[in-house]
Every structure is written in C-alpha cells, then in structure tokens.
Amino acid sequence: MAQSLIAQTATLPDEDEESDDEEEEPAETEEADNPQWQLFQTIRTAPNNQGVRMSEYFWKLPSKRLYPDYYKTIKNPISLLQIRTKIKKGEYGTVSEVAGDMNIMFENAKKYNIHTSRLYKCAVKLQKIMQEKVQELLEFDQDSDSDSEFENSSHQPKLIKRASNLLTRGKYKDNIPLKKDYMH
C-alpha cells in the first residue's frame, strides 16, 4: 500500500523536474547551527510510527504527466527538494520564510489528498512538528539573546521583539497556522 501512495505522489525518475542526483542530506558542513537547516532537517528526518521518513512523500512534486489535475488544483506547488535548493542558495531571509514554504507544501497535500489518506495524515503530523520546531528555535534564539545582551530589564522588550521577528518578519507573516481546514 505504501508503494502505491509513493507512486501516486512522487515524481518519476524520467521527469524533467529538478534532479536529486546530489546527496539527499545537507552535508555536515552546511551550517548545522543555522536555524533554517535545523528546521529543514527536522522535517526531512521525522519518522512515522514504523520508522519510515514521512518526508519521502514531499521530496519531489507529483508527475505532471500522471497528475495534471494536481497542477490545476494546486496553484503554488513546492517540494522539499525545492526548499532545500532555496536554503542552499540563501534565498530565505528568515526561518519564518522556510516555514512558510513548508506550510504551503503541507496545505497543498491536505488540499489535494483526502483526509483519510496516508499523505494527508503525514502532512498534518509534519506540519505540527514544523510548528513545534519553529517555536523551539524562537525560544533558543530568545535565550541566546538574553545571554549576550545586558541583563538590564530595559533590554527585555527589545529582546522579545527581536526573537519574535525571526518568525514574523517576511512575506509569510500570517501564513503558518497549525491546521487549516479547507471546505471543498
């Protein structure tokens, strides 16, 4: 059953979409302390109950040849491979922008697939994991700021504002709901 779901959503090797010939994991040298990579790796490696990576369904876009209706239904298709490429090229300014694209990816999966499908359920789980990781990264940043700044209480509002800006700065400010219901 898992194979059929993967076949339904994964791009076939002969598709002319992006190539994933390069390694699937970011190299160790790719800034393991960079919050954008931390968020990406958290989603990329998150296992389901059977220990299989849930992200496999999201690595590439569905085949345009086999699923032309996907591209009629989904106006902003995006995959983890595309997100990884954008991180590598430095196209994201903040973690919130990475999370925003991931959110679009998960919402696309939820919009196209029925709510009882494995893919839909993986999207919901990964979206929740993403939310938790973004919150963790914000809390870590806030803790780091308070360690490096003066312990003067007049600096606290600035620190809180700066940490929250990591999530809210950028074009995806309000586009990171935990779960959004679509009525179709």
Side-chain angles (χ1 to χ4, degrees):
M1 174 146 177
Q3 285 299 329
S4 66
L5 287 172
I6 292 170
Q8 290 173 2
T9 59
T11 304
L12 298 176
D14 63 343
E15 285 295 308
D16 59 356
E17 290 295 315
E18 297 173 276
S19 169
D20 65 349
D21 290 340
E22 57 187 303
E23 80 287 355
E24 289 193 1
E25 300 297 325
E28 295 293 322
T29 59
E30 289 180 342
E31 301 183 57
D33 60 340
N34 178 329
Q36 295 178 13
W37 279 116
Q38 290 176 19
L39 178 59
F40 177 83
Q41 282 297 86
T42 298
I43 297 306
R44 179 73 178 122
T45 60
N48 65 11
N49 294 338
Q50 291 77 39
V52 178
R53 287 181 178 183
M54 292 183 283
S55 65
E56 293 304 315
Y57 301 118
F58 302 95
W59 187 242
K60 292 177 113 180
L61 293 173
S63 166
K64 287 181 181 176
R65 208 173 13 157
L66 297 176
Y67 303 98
D69 63 320
Y70 179 85
Y71 296 91
K72 290 176 183 162
T73 305
I74 303 301
K75 301 304 176 202
N76 296 308
I78 189 159
S79 68
L80 275 177
L81 183 60
Q82 291 170 310
I83 292 170
R84 184 185 76 169
T85 299
K86 287 174 78 171
I87 293 172
K88 280 186 170 189
K89 290 181 177 180
E91 293 180 18
Y92 293 114
T94 64
V95 172
S96 70
E97 292 178 22
V98 178
D101 272 356
M102 287 181 173
N103 194 61
I104 290 168
M105 180 179 67
F106 299 136
E107 291 298 328
N108 288 347
K110 289 169 20 182
K111 182 176 183 181
Y112 184 74
N113 297 281
I114 60 172
H115 73 282
T116 55
S117 71
R118 182 175 300 185
L119 204 115
Y120 184 101
K121 291 175 182 177
C122 284
V124 170
K125 287 178 188 174
L126 285 172
Q127 199 169 31
K128 184 173 188 224
I129 291 168
M130 178 195 71
Q131 288 290 337
E132 291 168 355
K133 185 63 176 181
V134 167
Q135 187 61 41
E136 175 189 317
L137 290 168
L138 285 178
E139 288 170 4
F140 176 79
D141 182 71
Q142 196 167 3
D143 291 344
S144 297
D145 283 349
S146 63
D147 290 343
S148 63
E149 296 282 343
F150 298 108
E151 295 300 322
N152 186 333
S153 62
S154 67
H155 286 81
Q156 281 306 101
K158 178 182 172 189
L159 294 175
I160 292 168
K161 183 177 180 186
R162 181 169 172 229
S164 66
N165 278 346
L166 282 176
L167 179 62
T168 59
R169 191 174 67 209
K171 59 186 172 185
Y172 299 110
K173 181 176 179 180
D174 298 320
N175 196 17
I176 310 178
L178 184 58
K179 183 176 179 188
K180 191 173 194 177
D181 293 324
Y182 283 96
M183 303 300 281
H184 292 291

